[in-house]
Amino acid sequence: MMRMWALPILLVLCGSAVATGLVRKERPGEAVALLVVFVLLAVTNSPLIFPKSIGALEAQRRSAEDGRPIVFWRPGCVFCLRLRIRLGRSARRMYWVDIWRDSAGAAVVREANDGNETVPTVVVAGRPHVNPDPAWVREQLRRSA
């Protein structure tokens, strides 16, 4: 649980330290601007921006019923963030599995990637696709609807 929040917490702490130094140098405007940037970076690298994660076994069961894709991801992954942002609202219709929270999900990703935990790994109709183009994922989601 703590591992997924390590980077966002580190970003906020670093931003706070730098902002404090700027306030001491009597540059409060720069301090506030910099702190806002660090907080935004922390939010985009946190689990808050992603849909609620479920377990891999539950995602596989649901996907077998309705055909929706499963996205295996982890916090701090810029490629996962890119996929999430480019999918927009449609991302909420997919099943998201955080591999740092779910060991079965991590095992699925390692099996699909020669032992590596390469994410995002999107499973469509039982076939894994590593770091696919967001437009392709959106098309697969339309087909499952």
Side-chain angles (χ1 to χ4, degrees):
M1 180 81 164
M2 188 62 189
R3 187 164 126 179
M4 74 180 113
W5 286 101
L7 181 60
I9 290 171
L10 183 64
L11 285 167
V12 169
L13 291 175
C14 288
S16 299
V18 174
T20 300
L22 288 172
V23 168
R24 287 185 180 169
K25 293 180 182 177
E26 298 182 8
R27 294 162 48 190
E30 290 177 37
V32 169
L34 190 72
L35 188 57
V36 166
V37 167
F38 272 89
V39 168
L40 287 174
L41 281 171
V43 168
T44 59
N45 283 288
S46 76
L48 297 175
I49 198 166
F50 290 90
K52 185 175 180 358
S53 289
I54 62 174
L57 299 176
E58 179 65 16
Q60 289 167 335
R61 185 189 65 74
R62 291 182 188 181
S63 180
E65 289 176 3
D66 60 20
R68 293 184 190 178
I70 303 169
V71 180
F72 293 91
W73 71 286
R74 67 173 170 75
C77 169
V78 295
F79 300 106
C80 298
L81 182 61
R82 175 183 145 254
L83 178 65
R84 169 60 185 100
I85 289 171
R86 299 242 344 253
L87 288 175
R89 288 179 159 180
S90 61
R92 300 229 179 258
R93 294 180 33 226
M94 300 169 58
Y95 301 114
W96 292 75
V97 178
D98 180 350
I99 66 167
W100 280 358
R101 281 186 158 176
D102 187 71
S103 59
V108 169
V109 171
R110 283 191 302 271
E111 182 179 323
N113 296 298
D114 298 322
N116 298 313
E117 289 186 352
T118 307
V119 288
T121 297
V122 179
V123 176
V124 178
R127 293 194 57 219
H129 304 273
V130 181
N131 198 14
D133 183 82
W136 180 85
V137 175
R138 201 175 302 112
E139 179 60 32
Q140 301 309 307
L141 189 56
R142 273 191 219 116
R143 288 181 185 176
S144 69

